[in-house]
Amino acid sequence: MELFEEIRREYEFGVGTIAGVSKKFGVHRRMVREAVGSAIPQLRKKTKRRRFKLAPVAGFIDQILESDRKAPRKQRHTAYRIWKRICAELPENKVCERTVRFYVQERKSALGLVVHETFVPQSYPWGLEAQVDWYEAYADLSGQRTKLQVFAMRSMASGAAFHCAFLHATQQAFLEAHERAFAFFCGVFRKLRYDNLTSAVKKILRGYLREETARFVAFRSHWRFESEFCTPAEAHEKGGVEGEVGYFRRNHWVPVPQAVDLASLNLELLRGCHQDEQRRIEGKDQSIGAALLIEREHLLPLAEEGMDLARITFPTVNSLGCVKVLTNCYSMPLTAGTQVQAKSYASTVELWHDGRSVAQHERCYGRHQQVLNLEHYLDVLSRKPGALAGSRPLEQERRAGLWPDCFDELWQALISRHGKQTGTRQMIDLLKLTREFGRDRLREAVEMALETGCTDAAAVQHLLQARDLAHPACDAMDIGSLDRYRRPLPVMNEYDQLLSIGGVR
């Protein structure tokens, strides 16, 4: 456009001839005539060139795309897959992937395999609707690359979003994530839109009707919101949260985050949610955080107390001191044959007896695994000390990094001094003290004893209890105030005279 302007100005006020303008700007005389005739350049016609290398394989590509019409949607050929088949089945035809990709895109549009939809922009009142989705992401937890399932809830009015990661997308995790999101938004949205995920939908019926799971219906009733489900394979019906997932993944999951455990990772994700409140969505007059403050006034109030999300079973303690919850076994400090109540949450398994919690384990998502706590077997090991060395609870403690080297050093010293049976029993008695003082305090006492060259169990116990035995020093008192109690000393002269008389006799 700028070149046409200069050509027209030069022709009118400068050289004044087509040949002169053409020579000055280094353009063809046809362009000069076009610019003189109109200030707006004409659209260029795209010249079609013969595809010499593509021509021998064009029929092969058309045949593949035609057969894809009858194939399942997610099992159709991509351009890359078609190019790989050409390389393998028609090796004499050397054609580059880029050429195949352009041709496939052109033919798919012609055959109707690619549909370009037009969407209608939507507006949402404050506090009316939020959209929910799960997505996958990876994080390094304690140095190990772990695949996580991340829950996302996005407000459609303010644009604020909440993200929370779990090891598995179970129904307990799904419902627990809702409660965390409601606490983040300080209220409940009147309507939540979902995919047809199995945690909420048991069966898809005609149209928008769904047969929902009983637990989800009870949860929805407790928090007083409505639910809507998208048409299968129509993710654009909840495009707000789909776009939020892409933005959050690019900005807070890249590079791969590192954390000690899942709880610390979720704290990082929560900080990322608060950071995003500073940005302003295109077309909005205010930041996400400012809009969220307004929206919180329109949300439904939080329930007075959360719903118990646990999956409850009543297993019996077996001869190995374990109860079976779902498909895994968890240790218990109770005798065999005792029936307990097991509460399975998204991250933990709690074991209750007589109205009190007697054990808590991190939930295992494997199958037919044993999750054991050495502390639950200490009473049995006191009677069978020889079983400690090869016990599986001790092996799991070592693998989890809960058994420090100083414990082994003291244990060997006790065996050398008192024999294997008595030395091991004394070590078990020291381990029992963790119930009262904690493992960290016992480790400090053992390390202090070893530093001083002492390997006696009684000395370790004294060091463990020394902090509680220490008494605070008394404050110095001013004794000048005691002068008022001072009395004169008695006179003993007469008594001394009696003693002297007695001595004479």
Side-chain angles (χ1 to χ4, degrees), residues 26 44 56 60 85 101 121 173 191 230 232 363 380 402 410 415 424-425 475 500:
R44 302 293 178 186
F60 180 74
R85 285 191 59 182
R101 189 177 299 278
K191 182 191 299 182
C230 298
R363 181 170 175 178
V380 178
L402 300 176
L410 177 64
I415 291 176
T424 301
R425 185 174 282 111
D475 297 333
S500 62

Side-chain angles (χ1 to χ4, degrees), residues 289-332:
L292 180 58
L293 292 177
I294 299 174
E295 186 168 41
R296 281 174 174 163
E297 300 177 359
H298 297 79
L299 296 175
L300 297 174
L302 296 173
E304 294 183 359
E305 59 181 16
M307 181 178 173
D308 189 1
L309 305 178
R311 177 175 179 177
I312 298 177
T313 55
F314 295 90
T316 302
V317 183
N318 60 20
S319 59
L320 296 177
C322 297
V323 293
K324 190 172 184 179
V325 181
L326 299 177
T327 62
N328 299 305
C329 292
Y330 299 87
S331 63
M332 284 278 298

Side-chain angles (χ1 to χ4, degrees), residues 285-422:
D285 298 330
Q286 52 196 349
S287 66
I288 291 177
L292 180 58
L293 292 177
I294 299 174
E295 186 168 41
R296 281 174 174 163
E297 300 177 359
H298 297 79
L299 296 175
L300 297 174
L302 296 173
E304 294 183 359
E305 59 181 16
M307 181 178 173
D308 189 1
L309 305 178
R311 177 175 179 177
I312 298 177
T313 55
F314 295 90
T316 302
V317 183
N318 60 20
S319 59
L320 296 177
C322 297
V323 293
K324 190 172 184 179
V325 181
L326 299 177
T327 62
N328 299 305
C329 292
Y330 299 87
S331 63
M332 284 278 298
L334 301 179
T335 57
T338 306
Q339 188 178 49
V340 299
Q341 182 186 50
K343 296 182 178 181
S344 303
Y345 294 93
S347 304
T348 60
V349 173
E350 295 182 1
L351 303 173
W352 292 70
H353 181 65
D354 288 342
R356 63 185 182 91
S357 177
V358 294
Q360 180 172 322
H361 295 274
E362 182 179 350
R363 181 170 175 178
C364 176
Y365 283 95
R367 292 180 62 84
H368 309 298
Q369 302 296 313
Q370 288 184 333
V371 182
L372 309 176
N373 188 340
L374 180 61
E375 184 179 333
H376 298 161
Y377 294 91
L378 294 179
D379 293 333
V380 178
L381 290 172
S382 295
R383 302 190 302 270
K384 304 176 181 179
L388 176 61
S391 64
R392 186 170 295 177
L394 178 59
E395 177 191 356
Q396 292 189 5
E397 293 251 334
R398 294 183 189 277
R399 197 162 55 237
L402 300 176
W403 185 269
D405 294 336
C406 62
F407 282 15
D408 281 323
E409 187 177 348
L410 177 64
W411 186 9
Q412 293 303 319
L414 291 173
I415 291 176
S416 301
R417 185 175 180 180
H418 302 284
K420 185 175 182 180
Q421 192 89 349
T422 305

Side-chain angles (χ1 to χ4, degrees), residues 153 160-163 178-187 269-271 273-274 277 292 296 299 302:
M153 179 184 290
F162 172 78
H163 296 253
H178 275 73
E179 293 196 346
R180 295 188 189 183
F182 296 154
F184 172 80
F185 288 108
C186 300
L269 296 181
L270 184 60
R271 279 192 282 269
C273 295
H274 288 302
E277 293 177 8
L292 180 58
R296 281 174 174 163
L299 296 175
L302 296 173

Side-chain angles (χ1 to χ4, degrees), residues 124-145:
Y124 300 89
W126 295 114
L128 174 64
E129 180 177 324
Q131 297 178 356
V132 175
D133 198 12
W134 284 103
Y135 65 95
E136 294 180 355
Y138 287 85
D140 293 334
L141 300 181
S142 299
Q144 184 176 1
R145 183 64 54 87

Side-chain angles (χ1 to χ4, degrees), residues 57-89:
V57 298
F60 180 74
I61 296 175
D62 292 341
Q63 182 181 357
I64 292 176
L65 296 178
E66 190 65 34
S67 64
D68 275 353
R69 287 174 175 268
K70 301 177 182 179
R73 186 178 61 86
K74 291 188 177 182
Q75 292 180 247
R76 295 173 181 172
H77 287 76
T78 62
Y80 176 78
R81 177 59 183 152
I82 293 175
W83 175 70
K84 293 294 291 183
R85 285 191 59 182
I86 292 173
C87 295
E89 301 176 28

